[in-house]
């Protein structure tokens, strides 16, 4: 099976190069990997000590961030190497300030794995949540490199638990310890004979809780808000915007809207702006304007949504009308903001929990949206109660970072 896996990886790499001719995301995937080894060779010397973190995409980066920040403080002489598999993670966070070197992870071939690990020669490795690349793990295991999984999730439908997944199960032997999000993941590992697991929870809670300690104020958002009730729409997709725009255009409530679309391509931003009949301003065109005069603020940039959530009275988190579903709702939750989302949220434990607790309202159509928004706008006590549920939920689920760091410190 391992031989077949390696053949498939090589074949997939060939197919991706063909797809890259027609698909912009695949072009980034291919082009970004062309310079990885040169970047590593020019930034890491043989005498350098390194710690390697691997994140599949943006969500995993957010989970790994609090651990990366702490490791940087605990091991100041080590260089932090961060790899991404997906362009949607790398392109957004390639200029992060926590890692010393940020690159794409080359495809999981034996040759790539050996060359990558030769160049990085890490003292410690952290894989975040998932993505168990057998060749990389095999090379790390052969060199007895201390390797951890953090914020791990295991499900019984994964390849590890299939009769034909032996080579994949073998890859798990690389990990010194598994820090998993829930007891069901620990139980599944025990079925494989892996007792080196701790239920630590999800490090994202530690990350978003730490946001409260930062300066989240943005002058231009305060100017736009002008002390009026404000609904922040975060990471919206066209399916979200379709029902939101109808409400924005027709509501009689004195309320302001900030929309931060998931995709900020200029043609899609312009199309969204055209559908809104109320006075609208773009972030890219805000200079020299009296923002208080506008009703809708479209954020056609990235990197400031978290701070914007701090000014929200109500948050709508997008993605719930698509697949795989709703985006990160822990950021508005940590600020104590009541949250509205679409129907596709069941794959996300924190969304399911907050819906069940009453901090999140779920809508399926325009009527649901109108009823939900009107209720939250008109009832201050309801907003406060739901917001309190959200912030308390975040506080009650922090602690994964301490569990991970305590274990590592006891091992050193």
């Amino acid at each position: 099976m391992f031989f077949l896996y390696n053949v498939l990886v090589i074949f997939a790499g060939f197919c991706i190069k063909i797809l890259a001719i027609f698909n912009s995301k695949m072009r980034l995937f291919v082009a970004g990997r062309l310079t990885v080894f040169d970047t590593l060779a020019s930034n890491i010397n043989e005498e350098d000590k390194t710690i390697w973190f691997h994140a599949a995409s943006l969500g995993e980066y957010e989970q790994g961030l609090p651990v990366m920040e702490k490791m940087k403080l605990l091991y100041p002489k080590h260089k932090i190497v961060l790899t991404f598999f997906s362009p949607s993670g790398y392109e957004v966070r390639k200029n992060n300030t926590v890692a010393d070197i940020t690159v794409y992870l080359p495809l999981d071939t034996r040759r790539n794995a050996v060359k990558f690990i030769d160049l990085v020669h890490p003292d410690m490795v952290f894989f975040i949540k998932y993505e168990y690349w057998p060749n990389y793990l095999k090379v790390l295991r052969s060199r007895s490199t201390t390797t951890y999984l953090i914020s791990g999730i295991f499900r019984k439908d994964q390849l590890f638990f299939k009769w034909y997944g032996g080579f994949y199960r073998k890859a798990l032997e690389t990990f010194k310890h598994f820090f998993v999000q829930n007891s069901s993941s620990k139980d599944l590992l025990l079925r494989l004979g892996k007792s080196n697991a701790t239920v630590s929870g999800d490090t994202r809670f530690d990350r978003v809780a730490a946001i409260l300690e930062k300066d989240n104020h943005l002058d231009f958002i305060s100017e736009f808000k002008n002390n009026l009730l404000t609904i922040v729409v975060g990471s919206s997709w066209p399916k979200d915007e379709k029902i939101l725009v109808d409400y924005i255009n027709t509501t009689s409530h004195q309320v302001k809207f900030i929309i931060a679309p998931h995709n900020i391509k200029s043609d899609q931003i312009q199309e969204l702006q055209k559908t809104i009949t109320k006075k609208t301003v773009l972030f890219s065109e805000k200079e020299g304007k009296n923002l208080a005069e506008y009703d809708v603020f479209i954020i056609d940039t990235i990197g400031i949504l978290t701070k914007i959530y701090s000014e929200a009275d109500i948050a709508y988190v997008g993605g719930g009308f698509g697949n795989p579903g709703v985006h990160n709702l822990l950021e508005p939750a940590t600020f104590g903001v009541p949250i509205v989302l679409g129907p596709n949220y069941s794959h996300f434990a924190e969304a399911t929990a907050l819906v069940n607790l009453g901090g999140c309202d779920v809508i399926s159509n325009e009527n649901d949206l109108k009823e939900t928004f009107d209720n939250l706008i008109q009832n201050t006590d309801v907003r406060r109660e739901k917001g309190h549920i959200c912030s308390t939920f975040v506080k009650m689920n922090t602690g994964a970072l301490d569990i991970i760091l305590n274990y590592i410190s006891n091992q050193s």
Side-chain angles (χ1 to χ4, degrees), residues 198-212:
T198 299
V199 179
S200 59
D202 189 342
T203 48
R204 284 184 305 160
F205 288 98
D206 297 276
R207 189 195 74 79
V208 297
I211 291 171
L212 297 176

Side-chain angles (χ1 to χ4, degrees), residues 187-206:
D187 291 341
L188 285 169
L189 284 170
L190 283 171
R191 280 174 48 184
L192 299 180
K194 307 296 181 188
S195 58
N196 53 331
T198 299
V199 179
S200 59
D202 189 342
T203 48
R204 284 184 305 160
F205 288 98
D206 297 276

Side-chain angles (χ1 to χ4, degrees), residues 319-320 324-326 329 341-353 355-356 362:
V326 69
L329 48 74
L341 45 85
N344 296 343
Y345 65 88
S346 60
H347 289 308
F348 303 91
E350 68 277 9
T352 301
V355 169
N356 292 336
V362 181

Side-chain angles (χ1 to χ4, degrees), residues 11-194:
F11 179 70
F14 174 77
C15 292
I16 288 169
K17 289 179 180 178
I18 300 300
L19 290 172
I21 299 172
F22 309 100
N23 183 284
S24 59
K25 186 173 182 179
M26 287 297 101
R27 281 197 294 275
L28 290 171
F29 184 96
V30 172
R33 284 169 165 80
L34 295 176
T35 58
V36 169
F37 294 127
D38 288 339
T39 299
L40 295 173
S42 61
N43 286 279
I44 302 174
N45 300 318
E46 288 186 8
E47 63 273 16
D48 286 335
K49 293 180 177 294
T50 69
I51 300 173
W52 170 29
F53 286 82
H54 175 64
S57 191
L58 190 58
E60 291 72 40
Y61 167 82
E62 299 294 346
Q63 288 174 305
L65 183 58
V67 182
M68 279 189 277
E69 290 174 334
K70 288 296 184 181
M71 295 303 285
K72 195 174 183 72
L73 291 174
L74 292 172
Y75 297 88
K77 294 182 180 179
H78 283 65
K79 289 184 176 180
I80 303 295
V81 179
L82 171 64
T83 57
F84 285 98
F85 184 77
S86 167
S88 57
Y90 175 81
E91 296 300 327
V92 175
R93 290 291 180 257
K94 60 186 176 184
N95 296 318
N96 71 85
T97 56
V98 66
D100 297 286
I101 303 113
T102 302
V103 293
Y104 279 101
L105 182 70
L107 289 179
D108 185 38
T109 65
R110 167 73 181 175
R111 182 180 179 183
N112 283 345
V114 169
K115 188 172 183 179
F116 180 91
I117 293 169
D118 279 344
L119 288 167
V120 176
H121 49 83
D123 290 334
M124 272 186 284
V125 178
F126 294 85
F127 276 58
I128 305 163
K129 189 176 180 180
Y130 53 59
E131 284 212 339
Y132 311 92
W133 298 111
N135 281 304
Y136 282 98
L137 292 172
K138 185 177 181 180
V139 176
L140 290 170
R141 185 166 66 253
S142 72
R143 302 183 185 191
S144 301
T145 305
T146 301
T147 305
Y148 298 103
L149 178 73
I150 56 176
S151 293
I153 287 280
F154 288 90
R155 301 180 305 275
K156 60 183 178 181
D157 61 348
Q158 288 173 306
L159 191 57
F160 308 110
F161 310 103
K162 306 294 185 182
W163 65 266
Y164 49 84
F167 79 98
Y168 224 51
R169 288 191 290 274
K170 182 71 174 176
L172 294 180
E173 294 180 9
T174 304
F175 292 99
K176 180 180 179 68
H177 205 82
F178 300 89
F179 297 98
V180 295
Q181 293 189 32
N182 51 44
S183 57
S184 62
S185 292
K186 183 177 181 179
D187 291 341
L188 285 169
L189 284 170
L190 283 171
R191 280 174 48 184
L192 299 180
K194 307 296 181 188

Side-chain angles (χ1 to χ4, degrees), residues 49 85 105 140 169 192 252 267 278 302 309 328 357:
K49 293 180 177 294
F85 184 77
L105 182 70
L140 290 170
R169 288 191 290 274
L192 299 180
S252 58
D267 56 340
K278 291 189 175 177
I302 60 173
Y309 276 136
N328 183 6
L357 289 169

Side-chain angles (χ1 to χ4, degrees), residues 353-361 385-387 389-390:
L354 276 175
V355 169
N356 292 336
L357 289 169
C360 286
D361 288 317
E385 180 182 357
K386 289 180 176 293
I389 290 170
C390 288

